[in-house]
Amino acid sequence: MADSAAKRVNYQEPIIQKPKHPQKKIVLNPKNVPLNRLEKTLLVIGSLITLTMMILLVSGSISTTNAQHNLTDSEQSVISTQNKNTDLRQEIGELTSSTRMNKIAKQEGLRLIESNIRNVR
């Protein structure tokens, strides 16, 4: 009576039951997968940020261009004023030259008296 209990166990293969209704296979096409709420939200926010950045970039370029035009106008105004100042200095030099003064004095009948001239140093 040295029988082992393991010898008495009958192994039965599991019976595979086929379902009465065949299951439909779901085939996912990665091109037709719908977006969930998070993905839609991220797309909307990303689009808004991109649109805002594009508008800021264009407005920044426009303001930079306007500033360059203003700078150019200011530089031209400064150069024009400097040229006028140079012309006026030259005219002052011509009008106060000693040869011109002597010529006008001679026309008015004045003469140069050396004893009446004082040199200031």
Side-chain angles (χ1 to χ4, degrees), residues 9-28:
V9 176
N10 293 328
Y11 290 102
Q12 295 179 354
E13 290 186 21
I15 300 172
I16 300 174
Q17 295 179 353
K18 293 186 179 181
K20 295 179 182 177
H21 302 290
Q23 292 181 351
K24 295 181 182 178
K25 291 186 179 179
I26 298 174
V27 178
L28 294 179

Side-chain angles (χ1 to χ4, degrees), residues 6-65:
K7 290 181 181 177
R8 288 187 220 150
V9 176
N10 293 328
Y11 290 102
Q12 295 179 354
E13 290 186 21
I15 300 172
I16 300 174
Q17 295 179 353
K18 293 186 179 181
K20 295 179 182 177
H21 302 290
Q23 292 181 351
K24 295 181 182 178
K25 291 186 179 179
I26 298 174
V27 178
L28 294 179
N29 186 355
K31 294 179 182 175
N32 295 333
V33 175
L35 299 175
N36 61 19
R37 278 188 179 172
L38 176 65
E39 291 171 338
K40 288 179 184 178
T41 305
L42 289 176
L43 281 174
V44 169
I45 291 172
S47 298
L48 289 176
I49 289 172
T50 303
L51 182 65
T52 304
M53 295 301 283
M54 289 184 336
I55 290 171
L56 289 175
L57 180 66
V58 169
S59 67
S61 295
I62 290 171
S63 65
T64 302
T65 303

Side-chain angles (χ1 to χ4, degrees), residues 91-107:
E91 188 176 346
I92 289 171
E94 290 171 359
L95 292 175
T96 59
S97 69
S98 61
T99 55
R100 182 177 177 274
M101 298 269 199
N102 287 336
K103 181 180 173 185
I104 293 173
K106 196 183 250 187
Q107 287 175 354

Side-chain angles (χ1 to χ4, degrees), residues 16 51-52 62 65 67 74 76-77 79 82 84 86-87:
I16 300 174
L51 182 65
T52 304
I62 290 171
T65 303
S74 298
Q76 288 176 351
S77 174
I79 289 172
Q82 287 175 343
K84 286 179 185 176
T86 303
D87 292 343

